Amino acid sequence: MRRLLVLLALVAGVVLGTAGPASAHAGGLVATNARSEVVTVTPQLPGLTVVAIEDGAKLRLTNHTGGPVTVSGINRTVAPGDSLTWADSRFAPEGKDLPAFRTATWTVPLDAGGTAVTVAGVLTGEQPPNPLPWWALAIVSAVAVPVIARRLHRADLLLAAAGAIAMAASVTHVLGSTLAVESAPPAGTFLSAAGINLLAWPLLLGGAIVALRGRPAGLLAVCAGAALTAVFVLPDVTSFHRAVLPFAGPPAVERVLVVLALGVGAGVAVAGASVLRRLAQRAASPSASEVRA
Amino acid sequence: MTTSVERPQVVDDASTSPAFTARERWVLLVASAWLVIGLQLDAYAHATTPELETFWTPWHGVLYSGIAASGFTLLWIMKSRLPAIPTYQSLLALPNALRIPLAGMASLLVGGGMDTLWHNIFGIEKNLEIFVSPSHELIILGMVLVAMGPALMTATLPGRVLSVGGAFLVAISALFAVLPLHIYSLHATALGFYHLGTGRAEPNVFSTDGQLMHGYLFSTVLLLVPILMIGRRWRLPIGLPTALVSIPALLMHLMFASQGPWWPHLTVAIAAPAVELLLRVGNTLVTLPVTARWITLGLLAPPIVWGAVLLVGKIETGTVGWNIHIVSGLLTLTALTGAGTVLVVRSIQRLQPE
């Protein structure tokens, strides 16, 4: 049985390993419909502090009591002078189906040098947004880019500009996700949150620059980068449906960024088919295309 | 086997674009190997190191750089084969040897994006589900298609004889393409943990016994297909069929059964060259039409290899765990499965442009 478990874990790793590049939310944080916070630490011991961070996804215990503190349930001991940050299903909002404005209490027992300590907290449900307007905006964006591109003579400029907008939205989204993480170094967190976008952004930026310098081949890179941006922001469409977002800013801003990265990114990828075809046709027969234009 | 196909296939995928150079084929081989090995290393690290939450691991480094290396290599190979103003049509018109790995890279990336969304909505799969969830299927498919690239590119070259270097390239490409499938099909394999019956007097239909019987059949197909595909295009180099059976068997032992006895996988690894030698000698002694020779391979190779596993199992453990009905029937089924696989794969025709 042990080998079977190792096997399953190994194969899970095979497939989950590929989720690493796609990990859009930094620090393993996900959108939820609740917040968690610490209410009391009983009895209060001098030098012992426990606080909730990242909307309650994790607790941070700092031990200046002079003795070891053991966290029950995860069996981790914090030496004097050390601190421990951990996620735990007992207090984390993830996966909790809590109605809006309802509360639920939780406790985490500690052992501080032989003294039983109880950390008590509360989970508070929040009202999720109406997802329909956000989905509608994303769809309108995705449709608008190809529709407008059809009416423009220089649709290549539109694609370059729209690609830059999708990239800017994606960069801001990743930065906001990174800044929401308190429990990990920012540089690594940023790279983890960016993932495959590290490939998409240079494609968008480099492609736009090359296209604007008069080489239409750059547009293909813009389209590929836009498609990647749309695909890799997909995990974050949960922000349309959930209230508490792992984002350092107003939730509405995060939703707008996801709309732009998803809708405009998809729109550019779709519009690329006709825009590139028209450019190739014009290059092949400039006079005929001028007549059509 | 030294058999040849009836009608040598002239592959002209590259007729409208420059032929693939040796440098392109080898660079893609290295990049795709980098990708597959990176994934395996990262998988091993996740499976054996608890709470591996940091991004800064060497395994992530290999994996991420492998994805980037494969992606940029494909872009590099594609660049000289696209017109000055590329269109989606010109992308789709690329040679199969290039568009199949490109489709694989797209599948890998889309699967990766979907996978995180899937986990955000439905949670992380832990048991049998990991073999079946759609995003995981796309990821595995992507790896397989990317890894096939170097062999497909080699297939665009004229001639039916592989050079030594070409044989190595095709063999390594085929191994990296098929290995993820062996791993992903652990729920239906004879190269996993179980090799012999449970010993129940009346085995149930839906049981470990039943599962293992299907495993023998599925593994038969999975081990034969790359040999048949390569043999359809080229004369099979000596030792290549052995490599395509023995290496996956040994790697599966190292990856998943290293705590267990060596004899099941080692038996496969030793039986494979014995069967290859037998069939090659047989080819020189008996004159048969080419299709008959291939069907003979399908009929004989699986029951000999799996029969050897059961025989060594009997010697090692004292029992094969199954009665005579199952053992004889299973070996017959593996023979029929082998012959059926030959007939299907040998019937695949190259797609013609419309």
Side-chain angles (χ1 to χ4, degrees):
Chain A
M1 180 54 78
R2 183 179 161 272
R3 278 190 301 169
L4 181 61
L5 291 174
V6 171
L7 157 71
L8 292 174
L10 187 52
V11 182
V14 170
V15 284
L16 294 181
T18 56
S23 182
H25 283 313
L29 301 180
V30 295
T32 65
N33 281 329
R35 291 179 202 276
S36 188
E37 57 188 340
V38 174
V39 178
T40 59
V41 179
T42 312
Q44 289 190 337
L45 296 181
L48 178 65
T49 58
V50 183
V51 294
I53 61 170
E54 298 165 355
D55 291 320
K58 290 170 186 163
L59 290 186
R60 176 171 287 160
L61 184 156
T62 307
N63 177 19
H64 291 297
T65 61
V69 175
T70 302
V71 183
S72 302
I74 60 169
N75 298 320
R76 298 278 294 272
T77 300
V78 186
D82 280 353
S83 66
L84 173 71
T85 302
W86 80 100
D88 192 322
S89 62
R90 286 174 291 188
F91 56 78
E94 186 182 352
K96 304 283 196 317
D97 190 16
L98 195 62
F101 313 118
R102 292 279 186 84
T103 59
T105 57
W106 53 263
T107 58
V108 174
L110 308 175
D111 182 326
T115 304
V117 178
T118 300
V119 181
V122 64
L123 266 168
T124 306
E126 296 211 1
Q127 182 69 45
N130 180 357
L132 293 180
W134 299 106
W135 277 110
L137 279 173
I139 292 168
V140 166
S141 307
V143 173
V145 177
V147 167
I148 296 170
R150 277 185 170 276
R151 298 174 178 276
L152 293 181
H153 182 65
R154 292 297 307 272
D156 52 330
L157 294 180
L158 172 73
L159 252 57
I165 290 171
M167 188 190 80
S170 171
V171 170
T172 313
H173 160 68
V174 170
L175 275 173
S177 299
T178 301
L179 293 174
V181 176
E182 302 172 50
S183 56
T189 306
F190 176 79
L191 288 178
S192 176
I196 295 297
N197 286 302
L198 295 174
L199 179 63
W201 297 337
L203 281 173
L204 281 163
L205 190 61
I209 291 171
V210 170
L212 292 175
R213 284 184 176 175
R215 294 176 60 191
L219 279 185
L220 188 62
V222 170
C223 295
L228 280 177
T229 301
V231 167
F232 281 89
V233 82
L234 267 180
D236 300 323
V237 296
T238 48
S239 66
F240 297 168
H241 298 261
R242 292 174 185 168
V244 181
L245 309 183
F247 182 77
V253 172
E254 164 72 336
R255 292 182 190 113
V256 168
L257 294 172
V258 174
V259 163
L260 290 174
L262 176 63
V264 176
V268 170
V270 171
S274 61
V275 172
L276 285 165
R277 191 172 59 242
R278 274 159 51 202
L279 286 174
Q281 285 168 350
R282 276 181 206 165
S285 56
S287 56
S289 64
E290 287 301 322
V291 171
R292 280 197 298 273
Chain B
M1 292 288 284
T2 54
T3 51
S4 60
V5 293
E6 297 95 322
R7 290 172 298 163
Q9 302 292 306
V10 178
V11 181
D12 60 359
D13 264 346
S15 58
T16 55
S17 66
F20 297 104
T21 64
R23 181 199 251 186
E24 287 173 333
R25 296 193 301 273
W26 281 98
V27 170
L28 183 59
L29 184 77
V30 171
S32 60
W34 189 343
L35 166 71
V36 177
I37 291 171
L39 210 55
Q40 303 296 332
L41 286 175
D42 193 48
Y44 185 77
H46 278 284
T48 54
T49 309
E51 299 177 13
L52 190 66
E53 292 177 359
T54 174
F55 174 80
W56 297 103
T57 68
W59 324 121
H60 273 177
V62 179
L63 171 62
Y64 276 64
S65 54
I67 293 172
S70 297
F72 282 115
T73 300
L74 288 171
L75 288 175
W76 167 61
I77 298 172
M78 186 174 70
K79 190 170 168 246
S80 61
R81 289 169 176 80
L82 288 175
I85 302 179
T87 63
Y88 285 16
Q89 282 79 6
S90 55
L91 271 180
L92 292 174
L94 286 168
N96 261 337
L98 186 49
R99 66 181 170 188
I100 286 177
L102 278 169
M105 182 53 71
S107 176
L108 188 66
L109 293 172
V110 171
M114 266 182 63
D115 201 42
T116 308
L117 176 63
W118 196 268
H119 293 166
N120 278 355
I121 297 174
F122 303 115
I124 294 175
E125 308 90 319
K126 289 179 180 170
N127 296 302
L128 182 61
E129 308 99 286
I130 62 172
F131 297 113
V132 191
S133 76
S135 53
H136 292 176
E137 286 169 3
L138 283 179
I139 290 167
I140 297 297
L141 174 68
M143 288 176 62
V144 171
L145 297 184
V146 171
M148 273 183 183
L152 293 172
M153 287 177 182
T154 308
T156 63
L157 297 173
R160 296 205 61 252
V161 179
L162 279 167
S163 64
V164 174
F168 269 105
L169 184 139
V170 168
I172 296 168
S173 176
L175 279 171
F176 279 118
V178 82
L179 199 57
L181 291 175
H182 279 294
I183 294 169
Y184 199 66
S185 58
L186 272 169
H187 56 304
T189 182
L191 296 178
F193 295 122
Y194 305 110
H195 315 282
L196 304 175
T198 59
R200 290 183 183 176
E202 294 178 0
N204 293 323
V205 173
F206 301 105
S207 62
T208 306
D209 292 288
Q211 186 181 345
L212 181 55
M213 282 180 234
H214 289 92
Y216 274 105
L217 303 185
F218 190 82
S219 291
T220 297
V221 175
L222 205 49
L223 289 169
L224 272 178
V225 163
I227 297 171
L228 295 169
M229 296 294 281
I230 294 171
R232 183 158 171 72
R233 174 63 186 83
W234 296 286
R235 289 179 189 279
L236 278 175
I238 292 173
L240 191 137
T242 292
L244 291 177
V245 174
S246 301
I247 294 175
L250 295 175
L251 286 178
M252 292 292 279
H253 176 84
L254 288 172
M255 283 188 285
F256 299 119
S258 59
Q259 304 295 317
W262 269 95
W263 66 260
H265 301 87
L266 207 54
T267 302
V268 174
I270 293 171
V275 172
E276 183 178 348
L277 180 65
L278 174 74
L279 291 172
R280 284 186 187 278
V281 170
N283 268 342
T284 63
L285 301 177
V286 182
T287 304
L288 287 173
V290 65
T291 300
R293 277 184 274 167
W294 278 103
I295 291 175
T296 305
L297 174 133
L299 280 171
L300 293 182
I304 293 176
V305 171
W306 300 130
V309 171
L310 296 177
L311 180 63
V312 174
K314 166 86 172 168
I315 295 167
E316 288 286 327
T317 68
T319 174
V320 294
W322 282 319
N323 59 36
I324 186 64
H325 307 291
I326 289 184
V327 171
S328 57
L330 181 61
L331 294 180
T332 306
L333 259 180
T334 61
L336 294 175
T337 302
T341 307
V342 167
L343 287 172
V344 170
V345 174
R346 296 281 300 168
S347 300
I348 294 172
Q349 297 296 316
R350 212 179 112 258
L351 287 173
Q352 299 296 327
E354 293 179 0

